[in-house]
Amino acid sequence: MDSPYKIASAEPQILPVGTGPEAREIPFIAQRPAKSGGPGLFWLSGFMSEMASTKATAVAHWAAEHNLASTRFDYSGHGVASGRIEDGTIGRWLEEAAAVFTEVTAGPQIVIGSSMGGNIALLLLRKLLRERPEEAARIKALVLIAPAWDMTEELMWKRFSEETRREILEHGFFKQPSAYAEPYTITRRLIEDGREHLLARMPFDPGRPVVIMQGLLDVDVPASHTRELTTFLTGGKVKLIEVADAEHRLSRPQDLDLLFAEISKLL
């Protein structure tokens, strides 16, 4: 039976996720053409990003122009979603991604994840393969943009100074300066929960094409980090595209053109 959420809309709707004290309302935008021309595009934003970002809206517009469905949402504590970023964890945001994917999208999908969204995309596929293989089968490909795999451990905890680690352990949080927005609040809960959701360099066969875009000037998710991801994604369907003059965001017109060219090939 079709979900009541599988309707065309350019305005945010609300999906309830969780129960009791963990109940929250996740805003999403699901756009459906009258007649779809192929798999839908499912967007996963990065840490402290949102569904109104440059890349997310560009993907939605491109999908509409090409007669494709698209779905995007805000994690709790992000964008127009309720909640505090300080309460967020990888597990919490993964639960929200799984809920939106299974309850809002219909038919085959290409999952596109940016930065932390790339990490969530891999965790989402792994979770569905284990728990709901019929839903995992709808994921036809992954497109990962500067994927921050195992972000909380590899790109946060291991990079932090001893002083910063001590502050997190003793006070429960640390204010991380950001080049893109207000300082990020990195909580002890975020770090500890992240350890429950690690890829941990264990061999993982996605079982479908994975296209990775990486800027070589990226200091947030270094190229070496992304190259390492390709060493434990097995199955022979991983394609890494390195952009020599690109930084982390990969949202310039030429970057978006490259993204859409790769999506077109997958279609």
Side-chain angles (χ1 to χ4, degrees):
M1 189 169 106
D2 282 344
S3 161
Y5 301 106
K6 292 171 185 170
I7 59 178
S9 175
E11 295 298 323
Q13 296 175 274
I14 297 297
L15 176 69
V17 176
T19 59
E22 292 298 312
R24 54 222 188 259
E25 296 184 334
I26 301 304
F28 68 89
I29 298 176
Q31 295 174 269
R32 306 283 183 267
K35 184 178 180 182
S36 178
L41 306 183
F42 184 68
W43 175 264
L44 292 166
S45 298
F47 185 56
M48 295 292 287
S49 188
E50 56 191 70
M51 63 179 172
S53 70
T54 300
K55 290 195 295 291
T57 53
V59 166
H61 291 156
W62 187 88
E65 290 172 356
H66 291 78
N67 207 34
L68 302 172
S70 68
T71 306
R72 49 196 163 118
F73 69 96
D74 280 336
Y75 308 111
S76 55
H78 291 69
V80 297
S82 60
R84 305 184 315 146
I85 189 70
E86 292 83 0
D87 295 326
T89 62
I90 297 298
R92 186 178 178 91
W93 297 325
L94 174 59
E95 179 188 18
E96 293 161 6
V100 176
F101 183 84
T102 58
E103 298 185 43
V104 175
T105 70
Q109 301 287 316
I110 294 174
V111 177
I112 309 168
S114 177
S115 195
M116 183 184 79
N119 186 41
I120 298 289
L122 290 165
L123 296 176
L124 173 64
L125 176 60
R126 186 177 71 174
K127 176 182 177 70
L128 294 178
L129 285 169
R130 291 173 176 175
E131 301 173 7
R132 302 186 65 178
E134 75 286 356
E135 290 289 340
R138 296 199 294 114
I139 299 179
K140 299 306 178 183
L142 300 181
V143 178
L144 311 179
I145 304 168
W149 62 273
D150 289 1
M151 173 186 84
T152 53
E153 195 70 15
E154 299 292 331
L155 300 176
M156 291 181 178
W157 189 255
K158 288 185 178 180
R159 283 183 165 189
F160 290 157
S161 66
E162 285 300 321
E163 181 182 0
T164 297
R165 292 183 188 181
R166 187 165 55 250
E167 185 172 344
I168 292 172
L169 292 174
E170 293 178 359
H171 300 286
F173 70 93
F174 168 71
K175 293 285 188 179
Q176 173 74 38
S178 166
Y180 308 108
E182 294 298 314
Y184 299 160
T185 300
I186 309 300
T187 66
R188 180 171 178 170
R189 182 183 179 190
L190 175 68
I191 297 296
E192 292 179 346
D193 172 88
R195 291 176 179 146
E196 301 298 318
H197 301 281
L198 296 177
L199 294 168
R201 298 178 175 81
M202 297 297 292
F204 175 45
D205 183 358
R208 62 266 295 141
V210 178
V211 176
I212 304 173
M213 290 175 54
Q214 174 66 43
L216 294 186
L217 302 182
D218 191 338
V219 296
D220 297 298
V221 179
S224 58
H225 185 73
T226 297
R227 289 171 187 153
E228 189 172 5
L229 173 63
T230 68
T231 67
F232 61 85
L233 289 183
T234 63
K237 296 182 179 180
V238 179
K239 177 181 181 181
L240 173 60
I241 302 169
E242 296 184 338
V243 184
D245 62 344
E247 298 181 355
H248 183 61
R249 289 191 170 185
L250 283 164
S251 58
R252 303 169 302 174
Q254 61 266 40
D255 301 326
L256 295 175
D257 287 344
L258 176 60
L259 171 63
F260 298 143
E262 292 303 316
I263 294 173
S264 294
K265 293 175 187 176
L266 293 170
L267 292 173

